[in-house]
Amino acid sequence: MQSTAAGQWHLTGAGSLPVAGLVRAFTVLPASWQTSGQARWQVRAQGASWAQARQMAFGLQGSQLQFSSPDGLQGAQGVALQLQGAGVYSGRWHGSARLRWTAGGILWSPWYWTAPAEPVQVQTHWQQTSRAWQLDEGSLRWPGLGRGGFALYWPTQSGVLRWQIRDMNVGMAPLYANWIKPLALPGGLAAGLQASGQVRFSVAGEGGLNALRWDLRNATVSSPNRLLAMTGVNSRGAWSRTGKISAATLRWQSASLYRIPVGPLHADLVVDPQGFHLQQPFTLTMLGGGLHFRQLAARWTGPRSGFSMSGDLQGVSMAQLTRIMHWPPFTGTVSATIPELQYHAGDISTSGALSAQVFGGTVRVNDLHIENFFGVLPLLHANVEISGVRLKPLTDDFHFGYISGVLNGDVKNLALLNWSPEAFDAQFHTVPVPGVRQEISYAAVQSLTRLGGGDGIGGFFQGLFLRMFKTFAYAHLGMGVRLRHGVAELSGVGTEDSGFVILQGQGLPRVDIVGYNRRVNWSELLARLQTAMHSGAQVQTGE
């Protein structure tokens, strides 16, 4: 220390001290937290009078720094930090500072970060008053992540911390993996996503998030199991908690959902404090047709948080869909009216019936609910009503043999686990319709016989006799299946002796089909259906 008689003085000092005392002195962490480590310090200061310092420069280097909260949700180990700065007093203290993080790991649940190979660097201008610490014109450089600016207002007595992160330009891969994914629910879709691309964003908060502005460029998003994939994703927009409404855009070049390819998207959104909604309807091309969105919205908070949509499915190719989903192949297109579907916490439900036009009839799906939609084992519950389905185009597509008539039915208490049937109660039966003949071909008779557990129409003379006729009239046709625990219980349109009637013939020659094996494994029933479909295609009969 040096001084003059007038009171001008200069001071230099250096030393070391336990970090615990330093943390307590500056109230950096709560008093109940455990801290350890050593800090080496240097300081130079000067003043014009003994009562007040005018300038100072300082340095602080911490090594093997550790801390932990009582609940274990926050902690650090082996952290090395270097802090350098300078300040001038002119009615208030102000100056500049630089912080370098060179080693160690930090846990701040749910996040965990380790120091990259090159130091993380923070530089800022600072000022201190009797009310607060304030950081201005700050810059952050995080190797492997990106860089940007920040500002901070930290009240020393009472008040709320205010902060801003400005124009951060970062890579989506490290941002999502290290900052966004830890916030996702374990086992959900977001927890398994991978992302790439670049994003520039600004955020501000005061006791919570207040505002967000983003510009996402040429991003790719995918899940390991290919439930979701998007390429060429671009999005720009802003959000504010203060009630300001703003615009946003979302575009992608291509996408797929459950391996179903989807065409380009260009959606304009209106963003408000609670969520967003469509500015105008749009259509996504898919499977030779399109999915028209009349309404699409999201809510961030409240009991109805999640997504909702309604629209129409137009001209979707069933041949393409069945090939992708590995279902029995058939042709034609399907159109459907989609009521309001709601997505919340991984589950999908609907407020109305999903209605589709298939094979000249109507299929209505009621009480639709899908649990864990983007998870490993999605579970679907629904009740299905079928009315007015024309059997001729249906049996033509499935190569079952020719059947003419109109089919009604329902599937109650349907449960699909990972899109495979687990349980249901199904009943299908024909209904007489004026002008529609109820006829069946020899090939279809063979197929139904096999489906009921028989080997087809046996006997040389019987088979030869029936083959002489192109079609046979019938009065009733139907079948019921009750599936539980992998076992299907079969029924028909009536009973005969100890069997169940699948087909009740009419006229001459009269053909009845009766099944006697009421209980069968589900896998065996599917094998019967597959055999019936292949066998039915071998005989060309019908209109």
Side-chain angles (χ1 to χ4, degrees), residues 117-427:
E118 297 183 25
V120 176
Q121 298 190 51
V122 180
Q123 299 186 57
T124 184
H125 293 286
W126 60 271
Q127 56 179 306
Q128 188 266 336
T129 66
S130 60
R131 296 183 177 181
W133 284 90
Q134 189 168 332
L135 307 182
D136 295 310
E137 301 178 20
S139 66
L140 168 65
R141 179 181 177 273
W142 193 309
L145 176 64
R147 62 179 63 198
F150 70 92
L152 183 70
Y153 182 86
W154 191 352
T156 55
Q157 296 179 353
S158 62
V160 179
L161 176 69
R162 298 200 305 266
W163 53 272
Q164 292 180 339
I165 298 177
R166 302 167 178 162
D167 296 323
M168 281 294 298
N169 192 3
V170 301
M172 276 298 299
L175 176 67
Y176 191 86
N178 299 323
W179 295 81
I180 300 177
K181 187 179 291 187
L183 299 172
L185 294 174
L189 173 66
L193 290 180
Q194 297 176 342
S196 64
Q198 289 290 125
V199 61
R200 180 184 293 271
F201 66 90
S202 299
V203 292
E206 182 177 359
L209 187 64
N210 275 0
L212 169 66
R213 184 179 298 274
W214 71 91
D215 183 5
L216 177 64
R217 300 178 298 277
N218 197 29
T220 298
V221 179
S222 62
S223 62
N225 49 15
R226 296 185 63 192
L227 293 182
L228 176 67
M230 294 181 289
T231 61
V233 182
N234 293 272
S235 180
R236 299 184 65 182
W239 170 85
S240 173
R241 194 174 66 174
T242 60
K244 182 179 179 181
I245 296 177
S246 58
T249 61
L250 174 62
R251 298 181 177 88
W252 67 54
Q253 293 178 358
S254 63
S256 65
L257 178 63
Y258 278 99
R259 300 179 180 85
I260 298 175
V262 177
L265 166 72
H266 182 174
D268 295 317
L269 310 173
V270 177
V271 183
D272 58 46
Q274 286 74 42
F276 70 79
H277 61 272
L278 276 182
Q279 192 174 70
Q280 56 188 11
F282 68 92
T283 300
L284 279 178
T285 59
M286 57 185 299
L287 302 178
L291 177 59
H292 179 70
F293 286 81
R294 293 194 304 269
Q295 176 261 339
L296 176 65
R299 292 181 63 88
W300 319 126
T301 58
R304 297 187 64 188
S305 62
F307 294 89
S308 64
M309 65 84 64
S310 62
D312 302 284
L313 199 63
Q314 304 166 341
V316 168
S317 167
M318 295 307 298
Q320 297 182 42
L321 178 62
T322 53
R323 183 173 61 251
I324 292 171
M325 301 301 289
H326 303 289
W327 293 342
F330 58 93
T331 59
T333 61
V334 61
S335 298
T337 300
I338 303 174
E340 185 180 16
L341 291 177
Q342 298 176 351
Y343 176 86
H344 172 71
D347 295 354
I348 288 181
S349 58
T350 178
S351 60
L354 190 153
S355 177
Q357 302 299 315
V358 181
F359 298 114
T362 301
V363 177
R364 292 173 59 88
V365 180
N366 301 295
D367 310 313
L368 176 66
H369 181 75
I370 306 175
E371 303 175 25
N372 197 29
F373 180 67
F374 289 110
V376 178
L377 293 173
L379 177 61
L380 179 147
H381 296 278
N383 291 300
V384 183
E385 298 176 6
I386 299 172
S387 61
V389 170
R390 298 301 174 107
L391 283 173
K392 182 184 182 305
L394 174 64
T395 53
D396 284 348
D397 269 350
F398 281 94
H399 306 294
F400 196 81
Y402 166 77
I403 304 177
S404 175
V406 177
L407 188 72
N408 286 358
D410 56 58
V411 182
K412 297 180 179 179
N413 304 315
L414 173 64
L416 302 180
L417 181 61
N418 200 26
W419 313 116
S420 295
E422 284 290 302
F424 60 78
D425 296 291
Q427 288 285 343

Side-chain angles (χ1 to χ4, degrees), residues 4-63:
T4 66
Q8 296 178 348
W9 56 272
H10 298 265
L11 171 69
T12 60
S16 64
L17 73 163
V19 169
L22 191 64
V23 168
R24 286 193 298 269
F26 288 90
T27 320
V28 178
L29 295 174
S32 60
W33 290 24
Q34 294 182 354
T35 57
S36 65
Q38 286 292 120
R40 291 188 299 167
W41 58 272
Q42 295 177 346
V43 63
R44 298 191 307 273
Q46 67 181 56
S49 68
W50 291 109
Q52 182 68 58
R54 295 297 180 183
Q55 295 181 15
M56 68 173 179
F58 57 88
L60 187 66
Q61 183 171 337
S63 60

